[in-house]
């Protein structure tokens, strides 16, 4: 478990890229796809990975790293660093606030609270839904291309209905190189709430990929085709890893 957690960060986080070769759809194990995405999100071991949340001209620095069996997120607000952790469970993950060394499990009602004046909430930054289990492949060839790439569409339902902002998520995973180009989060009403899109990536010397920029669109509750808020997660350049 510790070896796996050391590889997690992402996206976040995404990084939402993976180096898993995917071939025939019948042979694809969805939970393995999700596991590979998690591994690629903290590809820098226990070193902090730095970035920022950008909303217009406002930029909020943040970092993430793996410590033992916990992923640590920190962001700067009012010249002070705030911290919350992601603690992995068998089928999902808890968010934990840490203040002056004291930890308190975050109420699930706070998962959707936004961070430091941005539209990005705790659940968005932690990409908590990557730890859900029991995903399935969606056969929808008409909508399987993103950025001109053929993708698998993976759907995962929330294992704890009512906890967090999404009832389920859909992810578009590149059939050729495994990059996850898009994630859509849906509410209990079946409407699209948020879309996460990778707009640029960076490649390390060992051939693995890490996202450079991710766009987060918040959709209009009455008209999911309209974007009402736009933010970006932008990562600093990563040092090349040696093989």
């Amino acid at each position: 478990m510790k070896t796996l957690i050391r590889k997690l960060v992402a996206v976040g986080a995404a990084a939402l890229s993976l180096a898993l070769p995917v071939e025939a759809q019948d042979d694809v194990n969805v939970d393995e796809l999700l596991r590979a995405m998690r591994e690629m999100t903290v590809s820098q071991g226990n070193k902090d990975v730095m970035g920022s949340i950008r909303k217009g001209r406002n930029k909020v620095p943040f970092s993430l790293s793996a410590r033992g069996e916990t992923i640590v997120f920190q962001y700067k607000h009012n010249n002070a660093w705030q911290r919350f952790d992601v603690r992995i469970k068998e089928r999902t993950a808890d968010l934990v606030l840490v203040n002056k060394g004291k930890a308190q499990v975050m109420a699930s009602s706070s998962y959707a609270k936004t961070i430091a004046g941005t539209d990005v909430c705790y659940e968005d930054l932690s990409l908590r839904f990557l730890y859900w289990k029991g995903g399935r492949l969606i056969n929808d060839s008409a909508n399987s291309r993103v950025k001109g790439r053929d993708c698998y569409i993976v759907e995962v339902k929330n294992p704890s209905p009512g906890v967090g902002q999404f009832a389920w998520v859909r992810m578009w995973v590149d059939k050729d190189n495994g990059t996850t180009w898009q994630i859509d989060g849906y509410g209990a009403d079946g409407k699209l709430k948020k879309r996460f899109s990778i707009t640029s990536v960076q490649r390390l010397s060992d051939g693995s990929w890490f996202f450079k920029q991710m766009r987060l669109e918040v959709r209009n509750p009455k008209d999911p085709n309209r974007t009402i808020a736009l933010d970006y997660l932008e990562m600093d350049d990563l040092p090349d890893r040696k093989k």
Side-chain angles (χ1 to χ4, degrees):
M1 181 67 170
K2 290 183 178 180
T3 300
L4 172 61
I5 297 298
R6 289 192 189 101
K7 297 179 181 177
L8 302 175
V9 202
V11 114
L16 293 177
S17 302
L18 53 94
L20 179 70
V22 282
E23 312 218 353
Q25 181 155 323
D26 291 342
D27 297 330
V28 173
N29 182 304
V30 174
D31 284 339
E32 285 299 305
L33 284 177
L34 294 174
R35 181 190 62 78
M37 281 188 273
R38 293 194 298 267
E39 288 183 351
M40 287 304 297
T41 54
V42 181
S43 58
Q44 299 303 302
N46 287 328
K47 293 176 62 178
D48 286 355
V49 179
M50 306 297 296
S52 61
I53 306 170
R54 178 169 61 85
K55 176 179 173 61
R57 296 183 178 181
N58 180 33
K59 296 186 74 171
V60 178
F62 75 89
S63 71
L64 42 91
S65 63
R67 299 178 183 176
E69 296 186 355
T70 299
I71 303 174
V72 176
F73 289 83
Q74 298 185 81
Y75 63 92
K76 195 171 186 179
H77 183 49
N78 292 332
N79 295 318
W81 285 92
Q82 311 292 328
R83 172 180 165 181
F84 73 97
D85 296 349
V86 179
R87 297 187 179 176
I88 312 305
K89 289 187 171 183
E90 182 64 26
R91 291 181 58 83
T92 184
D94 284 338
L95 303 185
V96 179
L97 293 172
V98 180
N99 185 22
K100 296 181 179 179
K102 295 183 178 180
Q104 181 178 7
V105 176
M106 186 185 299
S108 58
S109 58
S110 297
Y111 286 1
K113 286 187 176 179
T114 55
I115 294 173
T118 71
D119 304 296
V120 177
C121 67
Y122 290 103
E123 190 169 37
D124 298 335
L125 187 58
S126 67
L127 298 175
R128 195 179 70 91
F129 42 79
L130 288 183
Y131 305 98
W132 297 350
K133 298 290 182 65
R136 66 189 183 103
L137 291 177
I138 301 296
N139 185 12
D140 185 3
S141 58
N143 295 299
S144 64
R145 292 181 66 85
V146 175
K147 294 184 178 294
R149 306 288 300 179
D150 286 324
C151 296
Y152 295 114
I153 303 176
V154 178
E155 181 177 285
V156 190
K157 290 185 178 180
N158 189 339
S160 302
V163 175
Q165 58 189 327
F166 303 133
W168 74 85
V169 296
R170 283 187 176 179
M171 311 180 192
W172 278 256
V173 183
D174 195 306
K175 290 184 178 181
D176 182 43
N177 60 31
T179 299
T180 302
W181 292 110
Q182 180 175 302
I183 298 177
D184 286 354
Y186 293 84
D189 59 1
K191 295 181 179 179
L192 177 64
K193 292 175 66 70
K194 291 183 177 178
R195 172 167 290 170
F196 304 77
S197 304
I198 298 296
T199 57
S200 63
V201 296
Q202 50 187 313
R203 190 172 190 176
L204 305 182
S205 59
D206 66 353
S208 63
W209 295 86
F210 201 86
F211 87 97
K212 180 67 175 173
Q213 185 186 76
M214 181 195 302
R215 182 175 63 232
L216 172 60
E217 303 171 41
V218 181
R219 294 304 178 93
N220 187 323
K222 295 182 179 180
D223 181 3
N225 292 316
R226 290 185 56 201
T227 297
I228 58 175
L230 185 63
D231 298 73
Y232 293 88
L233 299 178
E234 298 174 330
M235 305 305 298
D236 293 350
D237 290 333
L238 298 177
D240 282 345
R241 295 184 301 171
K242 295 181 180 179
K243 295 182 179 180

